[in-house]
Amino acid sequence: MNNQQKQLLMLLESTFNPQDDVHFLAIAETQVQAHDKERPVHQVRVALTFKEGDTINPYYDGTDLFITIGDNCIQFTSEEDWADGPPAIEGSPIELALGWVSELASPFFVSLHAKEAAERKGTTSA
């Protein structure tokens, strides 16, 4: 995981997991727009689920969101396109999360739980 990906993971953690009740399963990103050389737009695909203590929900939700990446700044963009609506995937079995995220790009983050679930079902594609 490179430095920008680490910063992106920290942004997602601080935004979506402030109470440590979210478990990120897999995350991928790809550049989709470069009209501004200094701050290109990237699409980020996130599969996540909820947890209670050590117990992880067997179903995941997934969504695509957009960020801009500058030299020292990663921030959300185009929130009107993704923030208010339902997730793209709702209540799908965890073993499918890695495959769905991989449809966008090779994931830079995959939790052990997601990898093991995909391997058990033979759906690993990354």
PDB file of all heavy atoms in Angstrom, residues 14-27:
ATOM      1  N   SER A  14     -11.772   7.596   9.297  1.00  0.00           N
ATOM      2  CA  SER A  14     -12.237   8.718  10.123  1.00  0.00           C
ATOM      3  C   SER A  14     -13.647   9.154   9.753  1.00  0.00           C
ATOM      4  O   SER A  14     -14.398   9.614  10.601  1.00  0.00           O
ATOM      5  CB  SER A  14     -11.264   9.894  10.024  1.00  0.00           C
ATOM      6  OG  SER A  14     -11.270  10.445   8.724  1.00  0.00           O
ATOM      7  N   THR A  15     -14.027   8.974   8.490  1.00  0.00           N
ATOM      8  CA  THR A  15     -15.350   9.395   8.043  1.00  0.00           C
ATOM      9  C   THR A  15     -16.427   8.360   8.341  1.00  0.00           C
ATOM     10  O   THR A  15     -17.499   8.697   8.838  1.00  0.00           O
ATOM     11  CB  THR A  15     -15.334   9.677   6.526  1.00  0.00           C
ATOM     12  OG1 THR A  15     -14.347  10.671   6.253  1.00  0.00           O
ATOM     13  CG2 THR A  15     -16.692  10.163   6.040  1.00  0.00           C
ATOM     14  N   PHE A  16     -16.150   7.100   8.052  1.00  0.00           N
ATOM     15  CA  PHE A  16     -17.181   6.068   8.131  1.00  0.00           C
ATOM     16  C   PHE A  16     -17.073   5.168   9.358  1.00  0.00           C
ATOM     17  O   PHE A  16     -17.970   4.365   9.606  1.00  0.00           O
ATOM     18  CB  PHE A  16     -17.151   5.198   6.871  1.00  0.00           C
ATOM     19  CG  PHE A  16     -17.462   5.965   5.622  1.00  0.00           C
ATOM     20  CD1 PHE A  16     -16.474   6.220   4.685  1.00  0.00           C
ATOM     21  CD2 PHE A  16     -18.731   6.454   5.389  1.00  0.00           C
ATOM     22  CE1 PHE A  16     -16.757   6.934   3.533  1.00  0.00           C
ATOM     23  CE2 PHE A  16     -19.022   7.172   4.245  1.00  0.00           C
ATOM     24  CZ  PHE A  16     -18.037   7.414   3.309  1.00  0.00           C
ATOM     25  N   ASN A  17     -15.999   5.288  10.114  1.00  0.00           N
ATOM     26  CA  ASN A  17     -15.801   4.374  11.234  1.00  0.00           C
ATOM     27  C   ASN A  17     -15.358   5.080  12.514  1.00  0.00           C
ATOM     28  O   ASN A  17     -14.451   4.616  13.202  1.00  0.00           O
ATOM     29  CB  ASN A  17     -14.772   3.307  10.840  1.00  0.00           C
ATOM     30  CG  ASN A  17     -14.777   2.131  11.768  1.00  0.00           C
ATOM     31  OD1 ASN A  17     -15.733   1.891  12.501  1.00  0.00           O
ATOM     32  ND2 ASN A  17     -13.695   1.370  11.745  1.00  0.00           N
ATOM     33  N   PRO A  18     -15.988   6.181  12.879  1.00  0.00           N
ATOM     34  CA  PRO A  18     -15.528   6.894  14.077  1.00  0.00           C
ATOM     35  C   PRO A  18     -15.767   6.130  15.377  1.00  0.00           C
ATOM     36  O   PRO A  18     -15.094   6.370  16.371  1.00  0.00           O
ATOM     37  CB  PRO A  18     -16.329   8.199  14.047  1.00  0.00           C
ATOM     38  CG  PRO A  18     -17.552   7.867  13.269  1.00  0.00           C
ATOM     39  CD  PRO A  18     -17.115   6.847  12.244  1.00  0.00           C
ATOM     40  N   GLN A  19     -16.720   5.193  15.376  1.00  0.00           N
ATOM     41  CA  GLN A  19     -17.022   4.455  16.601  1.00  0.00           C
ATOM     42  C   GLN A  19     -16.503   3.018  16.550  1.00  0.00           C
ATOM     43  O   GLN A  19     -16.868   2.191  17.382  1.00  0.00           O
ATOM     44  CB  GLN A  19     -18.521   4.482  16.868  1.00  0.00           C
ATOM     45  CG  GLN A  19     -19.015   5.881  17.100  1.00  0.00           C
ATOM     46  CD  GLN A  19     -20.513   5.942  17.347  1.00  0.00           C
ATOM     47  OE1 GLN A  19     -21.205   4.941  17.341  1.00  0.00           O
ATOM     48  NE2 GLN A  19     -20.997   7.138  17.577  1.00  0.00           N
ATOM     49  N   ASP A  20     -15.688   2.695  15.564  1.00  0.00           N
ATOM     50  CA  ASP A  20     -15.080   1.375  15.412  1.00  0.00           C
ATOM     51  C   ASP A  20     -16.124   0.260  15.330  1.00  0.00           C
ATOM     52  O   ASP A  20     -15.935  -0.830  15.859  1.00  0.00           O
ATOM     53  CB  ASP A  20     -14.074   1.107  16.535  1.00  0.00           C
ATOM     54  CG  ASP A  20     -13.148  -0.053  16.188  1.00  0.00           C
ATOM     55  OD1 ASP A  20     -12.816  -0.211  14.997  1.00  0.00           O
ATOM     56  OD2 ASP A  20     -12.781  -0.817  17.105  1.00  0.00           O
ATOM     57  N   ASP A  21     -17.240   0.525  14.630  1.00  0.00           N
ATOM     58  CA  ASP A  21     -18.252  -0.503  14.440  1.00  0.00           C
ATOM     59  C   ASP A  21     -18.401  -0.910  12.970  1.00  0.00           C
ATOM     60  O   ASP A  21     -19.286  -1.667  12.605  1.00  0.00           O
ATOM     61  CB  ASP A  21     -19.604  -0.061  15.001  1.00  0.00           C
ATOM     62  CG  ASP A  21     -20.116   1.235  14.378  1.00  0.00           C
ATOM     63  OD1 ASP A  21     -19.367   1.878  13.613  1.00  0.00           O
ATOM     64  OD2 ASP A  21     -21.268   1.609  14.676  1.00  0.00           O
ATOM     65  N   VAL A  22     -17.496  -0.413  12.126  1.00  0.00           N
ATOM     66  CA  VAL A  22     -17.487  -0.747  10.705  1.00  0.00           C
ATOM     67  C   VAL A  22     -16.246  -1.589  10.428  1.00  0.00           C
ATOM     68  O   VAL A  22     -15.175  -1.342  10.978  1.00  0.00           O
ATOM     69  CB  VAL A  22     -17.463   0.539   9.844  1.00  0.00           C
ATOM     70  CG1 VAL A  22     -17.200   0.231   8.384  1.00  0.00           C
ATOM     71  CG2 VAL A  22     -18.771   1.294  10.011  1.00  0.00           C
ATOM     72  N   HIS A  23     -16.413  -2.593   9.578  1.00  0.00           N
ATOM     73  CA  HIS A  23     -15.295  -3.430   9.158  1.00  0.00           C
ATOM     74  C   HIS A  23     -15.147  -3.278   7.650  1.00  0.00           C
ATOM     75  O   HIS A  23     -16.046  -3.655   6.895  1.00  0.00           O
ATOM     76  CB  HIS A  23     -15.554  -4.893   9.528  1.00  0.00           C
ATOM     77  CG  HIS A  23     -14.455  -5.808   9.113  1.00  0.00           C
ATOM     78  ND1 HIS A  23     -13.285  -5.918   9.829  1.00  0.00           N
ATOM     79  CD2 HIS A  23     -14.346  -6.644   8.053  1.00  0.00           C
ATOM     80  CE1 HIS A  23     -12.504  -6.802   9.229  1.00  0.00           C
ATOM     81  NE2 HIS A  23     -13.124  -7.244   8.153  1.00  0.00           N
ATOM     82  N   PHE A  24     -14.058  -2.666   7.200  1.00  0.00           N
ATOM     83  CA  PHE A  24     -13.799  -2.540   5.773  1.00  0.00           C
ATOM     84  C   PHE A  24     -13.343  -3.898   5.256  1.00  0.00           C
ATOM     85  O   PHE A  24     -12.432  -4.511   5.803  1.00  0.00           O
ATOM     86  CB  PHE A  24     -12.731  -1.474   5.501  1.00  0.00           C
ATOM     87  CG  PHE A  24     -13.226  -0.083   5.752  1.00  0.00           C
ATOM     88  CD1 PHE A  24     -12.966   0.566   6.942  1.00  0.00           C
ATOM     89  CD2 PHE A  24     -13.984   0.571   4.802  1.00  0.00           C
ATOM     90  CE1 PHE A  24     -13.436   1.844   7.184  1.00  0.00           C
ATOM     91  CE2 PHE A  24     -14.464   1.850   5.025  1.00  0.00           C
ATOM     92  CZ  PHE A  24     -14.189   2.488   6.220  1.00  0.00           C
ATOM     93  N   LEU A  25     -13.984  -4.356   4.192  1.00  0.00           N
ATOM     94  CA  LEU A  25     -13.673  -5.649   3.601  1.00  0.00           C
ATOM     95  C   LEU A  25     -12.666  -5.521   2.467  1.00  0.00           C
ATOM     96  O   LEU A  25     -11.687  -6.251   2.414  1.00  0.00           O
ATOM     97  CB  LEU A  25     -14.955  -6.316   3.094  1.00  0.00           C
ATOM     98  CG  LEU A  25     -15.960  -6.672   4.192  1.00  0.00           C
ATOM     99  CD1 LEU A  25     -17.318  -6.949   3.591  1.00  0.00           C
ATOM    100  CD2 LEU A  25     -15.454  -7.847   4.998  1.00  0.00           C
ATOM    101  N   ALA A  26     -12.926  -4.601   1.536  1.00  0.00           N
ATOM    102  CA  ALA A  26     -12.031  -4.410   0.397  1.00  0.00           C
ATOM    103  C   ALA A  26     -12.229  -3.003  -0.158  1.00  0.00           C
ATOM    104  O   ALA A  26     -13.341  -2.467  -0.125  1.00  0.00           O
ATOM    105  CB  ALA A  26     -12.307  -5.441  -0.687  1.00  0.00           C
ATOM    106  N   ILE A  27     -11.141  -2.435  -0.672  1.00  0.00           N
ATOM    107  CA  ILE A  27     -11.177  -1.076  -1.217  1.00  0.00           C
ATOM    108  C   ILE A  27     -10.286  -1.039  -2.465  1.00  0.00           C
ATOM    109  O   ILE A  27      -9.152  -1.515  -2.439  1.00  0.00           O
ATOM    110  CB  ILE A  27     -10.653  -0.034  -0.201  1.00  0.00           C
ATOM    111  CG1 ILE A  27     -11.413  -0.127   1.115  1.00  0.00           C
ATOM    112  CG2 ILE A  27     -10.732   1.373  -0.791  1.00  0.00           C
ATOM    113  CD1 ILE A  27     -10.772   0.648   2.251  1.00  0.00           C
TER     114      ILE A  27
END
